[in-house]
Amino acid sequence: KRFGVMGVNYGYEAYRWLFRGETAYSTNQGGIATLNTVCWKIDSKYTLTASQRYYDYHYYSFYASALSDNSNVQNETAATLRIDATPMDGLQMYVYADFFYNPWPRFGLKSSSRGEECVVGGTYTFNRSNTLSSKYSFKSKEYTTGMQNHHRLRLQWTILPTENTRWQTTVVMHIVNGSYGEAIGETFRYGLDNTKPLRLSASVFYFHTSDYNSRVFIYEPNVTNTMTMPNFYGHGARASGTVQYQVWERRIMLELKYGVTRYFDRKTQSSGLQTIFSNVKNDITLQLRIRI
């Protein structure tokens, strides 16, 4: 019947140092959440960042969103160390390690749990039209079946044939406790400058995984203000396309997305009342936006 949240954000900057943070309090059993970061710009090429976060188990806010390993800003204590570097022209790199601890049992567990994640990534820009990016992550976390060690690798080549089009080739790999998953695909976009009323995008991916644990996450374009990162497991292919059209001085925007997933290793999908008696699944999204 009664619920409230209050918070304060703060920061201080001096020479090459930057400190910032936010602390919040919820009246629901007196929960506290705080996130603080210290950044040191060593020189023009290297930056070191350290952050600390503490989210009380009793803290709760409807729209809380912050750096967290869990889906909720709750029940987590962690520390992160990150280095950003630009060792040479065109090359940007980053390395970070995150160590987290959950004092209260997570769903399915009977005791507290801990884990860590280490990530190495970088982007190399050959010229204005060609960019290569890569990211490798290792994550170890406790589950009901014990510790799971996830190795993920993502490679992406981006080409800009014209100022208004973009072509991306993506390769994704996922290894966890002996299970293996992979995906490769293409994504095309037309209408990057947003000056024309028509914008198009399309993506095609092939995936093959050993089981659900080695599932792969694939980003695909969607309607405006919607983030789509679906996961796939098994053996199959996924294709999707979006169309956006704006009229009346861009006050009216109509968007349509159509996607189809075909599995090569099954004849039915889902279970119970949601069973699909086919190896093909279709989905359609329609959005109309009116700016007054």
Side-chain angles (χ1 to χ4, degrees), residues 24-42:
Y25 173 82
S26 66
T27 59
N28 181 29
Q29 301 185 41
I32 295 177
T34 181
L35 172 62
N36 301 280
T37 300
V38 177
C39 181
W40 176 34
K41 190 173 182 60
I42 303 174

Side-chain angles (χ1 to χ4, degrees), residues 260-275:
V260 56
T261 307
R262 177 182 290 272
Y263 292 95
F264 307 137
D265 59 348
R266 69 195 74 171
K267 295 182 179 180
T268 61
Q269 305 174 51
S270 301
S271 60
L273 298 177
Q274 296 183 339
T275 302

Side-chain angles (χ1 to χ4, degrees), residues 223-285:
V223 297
T224 304
N225 293 338
T226 304
M227 171 69 177
T228 304
M229 197 83 173
N231 64 82
F232 299 94
Y233 70 96
H235 186 198
R238 166 73 176 179
S240 67
T242 61
V243 179
Q244 179 191 106
Y245 191 72
Q246 302 182 67
V247 296
W248 193 26
E249 299 179 350
R250 306 187 185 282
R251 293 181 179 272
I252 298 179
M253 179 192 297
L254 179 64
E255 294 180 281
L256 173 66
K257 176 189 175 182
Y258 171 71
V260 56
T261 307
R262 177 182 290 272
Y263 292 95
F264 307 137
D265 59 348
R266 69 195 74 171
K267 295 182 179 180
T268 61
Q269 305 174 51
S270 301
S271 60
L273 298 177
Q274 296 183 339
T275 302
I276 300 175
F277 296 95
S278 172
N279 67 332
V280 178
K281 180 180 180 180
N282 301 274
D283 55 90
I284 298 176
T285 303

